[in-house]
Amino acid sequence: AQTVTQSQPEMSVQEAETVTLSCTYDTSESDYYLFWYKQPPSRQMILVIRQEAYKQQNATENRFSVNFQKAAKSFSLKISDSQLGDAAMYFCAYRSGRNSGGYQKVTFGTGTKLQVIP
Amino acid sequence: NAGVTQTPKFRVLKTGQSMTLLCAQDMNHEYMYWYRQDPGMGLRLIHYSVGEGTTAKGEVPDGYNVSRLKKQNFLLGLESAAPSQTSVYFCASSPYVPENTEAFFGQGTRLTVV
């Protein structure tokens, strides 16, 4: 079974600064997808960014980018120019590719609570 | 733009009571999931369904039952609630394809068992 590890329960960043959230995963599969979700105090789960394992290029979405290291099984999220609205819980998630037995499941890490300091 | 809707949003139960959480999605997704979220433990999969009439156990299925009689609905039942089931419950759905599609979540149900 796949596992997702987020080793930083809490992080803080000054407004306008850059912060990196760590995520590692364990899998024997070669075909999979990785996601970062944001959960603000409203509890709503919001997709931040996704990465296909077959793509070497790191995904970016405006101020959010990832550092995907497939060999190291690492998938960190970088938030640039941090804003107060970025304060939330962030979850890393893994989904197997279609040819894998676990395709229908999405496995989540334990989350990192990000505080943004004005 | 309803997406995934969960009812109720809050509930307090006494130990031993039963209840059903309802999840409805209007995106014609094949897959539906029930997760529970506890501090420091992330989201853990309780049960999931890959289609109408099918269900499967996830990581923490004990004490819960599910049914998916219609494609758009996924019900989570607690037959005899225990304080250990105090949690926030999330329903989610995702399509079979495209493979890189994220799961879409409801707004959660905060359940307290006293």
Side-chain angles (χ1 to χ4, degrees), chain B residues 11-17 78 80-87 111-114:
Chain B
R11 185 73 185 267
V12 177
L13 282 181
K14 293 182 178 179
T15 298
Q17 285 186 319
L78 286 73
S80 180
S84 61
Q85 293 178 304
T86 293
S87 187
L111 174 66
T112 303
V113 183
V114 298

Side-chain angles (χ1 to χ4, degrees), chain A:
Chain A
Q2 289 73 36
T3 58
V4 178
T5 302
Q6 292 180 251
S7 59
Q8 306 153 316
E10 295 187 15
M11 294 279 286
S12 62
V13 62
Q14 291 286 142
E15 194 175 3
E17 296 296 309
T18 296
V19 65
T20 299
L21 309 184
S22 301
C23 173
T24 59
Y25 55 94
D26 185 24
T27 185
S28 58
E29 299 169 341
S30 59
D31 181 25
Y32 53 87
Y33 304 85
L34 297 165
F35 306 87
W36 277 99
Y37 287 84
K38 171 184 177 182
Q39 186 185 43
S42 67
R43 290 206 311 244
Q44 185 65 49
M45 294 285 284
I46 303 164
L47 178 71
V48 174
I49 200 164
R50 80 189 85 217
Q51 175 78 44
E52 293 86 347
Y54 62 83
K55 290 186 178 179
Q56 291 188 331
Q57 186 173 6
N58 290 327
T60 62
E61 287 286 343
N62 301 315
R63 297 183 295 107
F64 299 87
S65 61
V66 299
N67 183 3
F68 174 48
Q69 301 289 328
K70 191 171 183 178
K73 298 178 184 174
S74 172
F75 182 59
S76 60
L77 175 69
K78 185 171 83 171
I79 306 174
S80 304
D81 186 24
S82 296
Q83 301 175 1
L84 295 178
D86 295 333
M89 183 74 81
Y90 287 82
F91 290 98
C92 179
Y94 174 105
R95 182 182 190 185
S96 300
R98 197 188 317 178
N99 295 323
S100 301
Y103 174 58
Q104 56 271 48
K105 295 187 224 177
V106 182
T107 302
F108 288 84
T110 52
T112 296
K113 185 175 182 180
L114 179 65
Q115 179 187 19
V116 180
I117 302 166

